[in-house]
Amino acid sequence: MAVDGKDTQKPHVAVLSSPGMGHVTPLLELAKRLVVDLGFQVSFLAITTDAPPAQLQLLNNNPTLPSDLHVIHLPHVDMSSNDSIAIRILQIVRESLRLLPSVLTNLNSHKPPPKALIVDPFCAEALETASDHSIPTYLFLTASASFLALTIYFPTLHAEVKGDYGKIKERVFLPGCMPLWVDDLLPDVLVPEVLPLCNRFPLVKGIFVNTWEELEPVPLCAFKNHPFFVNLPMPTVHPIGPLTKDKEVDVESELLTWLDKQPCDSVVYLSFGSGGTLSAEQMVELAHGLELSGKRFLWVARPPGADGASGSFFEVGGDVSLTASYLPDGFLERTRGAGLVTATWAPQVAVLSHPSVCGFVTHCGWNSVMESVVHGVEMVAWPLYAEQKMNARALVEMGVAVRPEAGEEGVVGRAEVERVVRLVVEGEEGKEMRGRVRKMQQSAVEALGGGGSSGGCLSRLGKEWRDGSTG
Ligand code: UDP
C-alpha cells in the first residue's frame, strides 16, 4: 500500500549525504542496493546548496533510480565562503543540518519509520539528532579501509604528538596495519578537524566502508582481531564494496562516439576527479608529454586551478567552454584524431568500461580507484589532495598503477609523462599491471555476489534491520 509515494509494507532506511560527487555517488549506490537487492524503501536526504551540476543530474530525473528511492532535498542555505573545500563542505552541512530535526520528525511519522540512518563522515553532526529521534545510525566511510584505520587511530596519534604532526618521524605505525608515510598525510589528512568525527564513533551502530575483504585484508583483519581496535568502544566495520556508479546511460556523448572508433586497448583516459585541477605549468607539460608519447588519449582538461588542486569541486559538470588558451599553441590541432579533450566532464564509468580504454591517469580519489578496478583498467597514479597520496602508494604496491616522478618544483615533466603513458599502453609492465587489475576485477565481482564477502555483509544487515535487531 502506498502513502505519499511511500510503501507502508516495505522496511524503510534513511540515507544522508554531504555535497560532492565523491560522497553522493557511493551513498546513492548503497541506497539502490538496499532497494533493489534487499527490498527496502529509502529516503535519500541530499544537501544541494552549492551542489555541482553533475551532482544534481545524479539526483534529479536519473533514470537509473528505482521508484522506492525517494530523494528529499534539504532546503537551500545561504553560504558564501572562501575557505578550503573541506571547511566549506562542513559549513554547508552544519547550516543544512539545523533543519534535520524537523525532517527526521517528519520521516518518523511515516509508516513505517526508518530502521536506520546512514550518513557520510561530513554529516557526523547528524548522529546526535538521529539518536534524539531514536533512529539507529551508521556511518559510511567512502574511502579505503586503511584510511578508516588511520581515522580510528587518529585520537591516539594526536594525543601522542600533542597535535604537532610535524613531530611524526617518517611513518605512522597503525596497529596491525601497514605503516603509512607521513609525507602522504600532510597537510590534508592529519588535521584536528577530524577529531569530532572520531569522538562520535561510539555513537554509531556500524561503519560501512567501500572496500572488500580480498582488496584490503590487512586493515579489515586488524579491526576484527588486533587488541587496539578490539578494545576500543567501537562499532563493527562492514566492508560492503566496491559500490560504484552504473555505466552512464542516455548520454549523447561525442566522447563515446569517438572511443567507438578507436582500436581495442589503445586509449589512455585522464581525469582528476570531480574537483581536481592542475597548475598552468603542469597542464602544459602534460599536454606535451601526451603528444610526445604518440598514443591515443581522452583528457578531461579543466582550466588550470587558481584555487589549488581542488579548485573546481563546486563547479564540476558545469558549462565551461573549452578554450585552447591553457594548452600549448597548436596542441589541439596537432593531436586531432589521436586525442580528444573536454574541459568539463566525462561519463567516467562508460569511458572506463569501453573496450578501447587501456589506462587511467587518475588523481586516485577512492571512487575513481574503485571504478578503475571494477572495469579492469590499470592506472597512472597522480594524486592531488586529501588522502589521494596514500591511495596512490597502495595502488603502486599492489602492482596495478605506476606513479610518475615529479621534478624539483613538483611538476611532472613531459618526458616522464611520455614514459608512463607508453609504459601503460605498450610496455611489458603495463601488461602485467593489467593482468593484476583484472584479477582484482574478478574478486570484486565475487565479493559483491550473494555468496561474496560484501554481498553477504549487506544481506546480513538487511536481515537485522528487517527483524529489528540492529547491531
Ligand atoms: N567523475 C565523472 N566524470 C568526470 C570526473 C569525475 O563521472 O569527468 C566521477 C567519477 O566517476 C567518480 C566521481 O566523479 O565517481 C569522483 O569521485 P572520486 O572519489 O574519484 O574523487 P573526488 O571527486 O571525490 O575527488
Side-chain angles (χ1 to χ4, degrees), residues 106-119:
N106 193 21
L107 283 186
N108 262 344
S109 70
H110 277 112
K111 298 275 172 292
K115 298 263 186 187
L117 174 73
I118 304 167
V119 306

Side-chain angles (χ1 to χ4, degrees), residues 21-22 25 245 248 269 271 273-275 300 302 344-346 348 363 365-368 371 385 388:
M21 296 297 288
T25 302
K245 265 195 299 189
E248 295 84 354
Y269 167 59
S271 174
S274 59
V300 183
R302 302 221 175 87
T344 54
W345 190 250
Q348 180 156 305
H363 72 316
W366 194 244
N367 292 290
S368 293
E371 289 159 11
Y385 58 95
Q388 295 156 10

Side-chain angles (χ1 to χ4, degrees), residues 129-152:
T129 317
S131 149
D132 291 346
H133 286 73
S134 312
I135 306 176
T137 50
Y138 291 76
L139 200 69
F140 186 178
L141 191 105
T142 53
S144 68
S146 291
F147 183 71
L148 174 60
L150 174 65
T151 311
I152 297 170

